[in-house]
Amino acid sequence: MDALHTRLLVGRFGETFRFYDALLPALLGATRSRGSAEGPYASWDVDGQGVLALFDRAAMAATVTLNGTGAGAGAGPDDRAMLVSRVPDVDTAYAACLAHGATPAGPPADRPEWGPTLRSAHVRDPEGNLWELQSY
């Protein structure tokens, strides 16, 4: 189970993909578990645990609220990375985050385009960092 891993939000997906696809296996023994240079998503694992994912910044922008302000959809230009956690129940985790001061960035929703059973929600911590809560 991927308890917590980093997802980089990138504008030059193909170039960034080729960089990590060459180096992660050589340096960490990682294997690519999903994706290709065409994007918009790719991920690498070590021993079945997610270590890094890439996501096209424009694709992510269609899902989250800009800097938690409600001013419009989109990952902000400063959003270069986000935390991603697999949780047992997205709705419960989302509510807990909001109760502890998180700012909503995207309500719980089923995302079959990301995976047949994937459900996710997005929040921002008090510093504005983006966090995706997901179950699948």
Side-chain angles (χ1 to χ4, degrees), residues 3 6 11 16 20 24 34 37 40 46 50 54 56 84 88 92-93 98 116 129:
T6 302
T16 307
Y20 285 108
L24 291 175
R34 291 184 63 192
V46 172
L54 301 179
D56 181 83
V84 179
T92 300
L98 297 182
N129 298 301

Side-chain angles (χ1 to χ4, degrees), residues 5-28:
H5 68 272
T6 302
R7 178 183 296 160
L8 301 179
L9 305 175
V10 300
R12 298 184 324 211
F13 191 92
E15 182 179 347
T16 307
F17 171 89
R18 287 185 287 279
F19 176 83
Y20 285 108
D21 201 47
L23 291 172
L24 291 175
L27 299 178
L28 304 179

Side-chain angles (χ1 to χ4, degrees), residues 37-80:
E38 287 73 41
Y41 180 83
S43 62
W44 292 263
D45 295 349
V46 172
D47 297 328
Q49 295 294 308
V51 294
L52 182 68
L54 301 179
F55 202 164
D56 181 83
R57 188 177 299 112
M60 191 75 239
T63 304
V64 300
T65 301
L66 178 63
N67 294 325
T69 64
D78 294 334
D79 285 321
R80 302 268 180 209

